[in-house]
Amino acid sequence: MNLLFAPGANLFWTSCAIASPALLIAAITAPWRMLLTESLRQHAFFAAILGLAIIWLLQVSVWSAIAIHPLMMIVTTMVFGWSFALLIGGGALVVLEIFQLPLRTANMDWDMALAQFDLRTFPVDFVLSVLVPASWAWLMIWLVDHWKFKNPFTYFWGVGFFGAMISCSLIGACSWLLFYITGSEIQLEAVREHFWIFVLLTFPEGFLNGILATVMTVFYPELVKTYRDDWYTRD
């Protein structure tokens, strides 16, 4: 979910207080050596940033206040882990804003389009579209890892499919809570009146994440950081 105009001071600084330490922790704890020593992982890292930005262009605008779109953060977290998922999501938000520049020129001049280039929405977008689903995915992975029932299906369907489905409603609830706490009346009313959109996205989000998680786990298990082949397939 993305804001379509700059947030108020309370919303901005509250989101900054949440996003800043999360990004710092992600940058410190990310396994950079694993990324830098293997070119395939590097290609996957930058492809994920580009792919998320493109997918997030498929937005549904609500009251010209918020835009709701597919997330794909569950499978991103499954493949790259929590730390890199946050960095990938943050990078995708910046690329998304860049991608939107030529789209705006269809209705206005370049100078006006450049004037609308505004990263003040970044902290709010990061918290709701990146941090919440990535943290939820990490919690689901932890729960699945501690189940006694060992089967790969519990991983890429339990996390990738059902985890992604639940994440849509969770993001809607967190959006409502954040907007309520910060007194963001316009965004709050938009979420309240159109919460059903989050519900409608549950199955498509679950299906896309589940399919991609299955494909990555079956064909490229060495790239899926959170998949433990020795645990899920042993007797």
Side-chain angles (χ1 to χ4, degrees):
M1 194 189 78
N2 302 101
L3 295 186
L4 296 180
F5 59 86
N10 288 340
L11 180 57
F12 176 79
W13 290 113
T14 301
S15 300
C16 283
I18 300 172
S20 299
L23 276 172
L24 180 61
I25 294 171
I28 293 174
T29 60
W32 293 104
R33 181 175 298 179
M34 182 182 67
L35 178 69
L36 298 176
T37 55
E38 190 170 343
S39 60
L40 183 58
R41 290 187 182 276
Q42 296 171 24
H43 297 159
F45 180 86
F46 292 109
I49 294 176
L50 182 63
L52 283 179
I54 294 174
I55 291 173
W56 290 350
L57 285 172
L58 306 175
Q59 301 176 344
V60 176
S61 299
V62 178
W63 284 13
S64 298
I66 61 174
I68 302 173
H69 53 72
L71 292 168
M72 306 305 295
M73 283 302 302
I74 301 298
V75 67
T76 302
T77 307
M78 294 171 71
V79 173
F80 295 97
W82 183 84
S83 298
F84 275 142
L86 262 60
L87 299 177
I88 289 171
L93 287 172
V94 177
V95 175
L96 172 65
E97 189 67 24
I98 296 173
F99 280 172
Q100 288 177 333
L101 278 176
L103 296 179
R104 294 191 185 108
T105 59
N107 299 317
M108 62 185 70
D109 296 331
W110 266 102
D111 55 345
M112 295 182 63
L114 286 172
Q116 291 191 7
F117 184 85
D118 192 350
L119 291 179
R120 284 179 294 174
T121 61
F122 178 88
V124 184
D125 296 344
F126 177 83
V127 169
L128 297 177
S129 295
V130 179
L131 180 59
V132 170
S135 300
W136 168 250
W138 197 245
L139 174 62
M140 289 291 295
I141 292 168
W142 183 86
L143 291 174
V144 168
D145 280 348
H146 287 77
W147 285 348
K148 294 182 179 180
F149 180 68
K150 301 186 297 293
N151 191 294
F153 285 97
T154 62
Y155 174 77
F156 47 71
W157 284 112
V159 180
F161 184 76
F162 291 106
M165 289 182 66
I166 297 173
S167 70
C168 290
S169 297
L170 179 63
I171 290 167
C174 290
S175 302
W176 184 92
L177 180 62
L178 179 62
F179 297 150
Y180 177 80
I181 292 174
T182 58
S184 306
E185 293 295 335
I186 298 177
Q187 294 91 339
L188 178 64
E189 191 64 24
V191 171
R192 182 185 296 144
E193 292 292 329
H194 296 83
F195 192 87
W196 55 270
I197 297 179
F198 293 98
V199 178
L200 287 179
L201 282 175
T202 53
F203 182 79
E205 185 74 21
F207 178 78
L208 292 174
N209 280 270
I211 289 297
L212 282 177
T214 303
V215 170
M216 292 296 296
T217 305
V218 172
F219 293 103
Y220 305 100
E222 70 280 1
L223 288 181
V224 183
K225 182 181 182 298
T226 62
Y227 179 68
R228 299 167 54 196
D229 186 65
D230 61 326
W231 195 94
Y232 289 106
T233 58
R234 73 172 184 252
D235 293 329

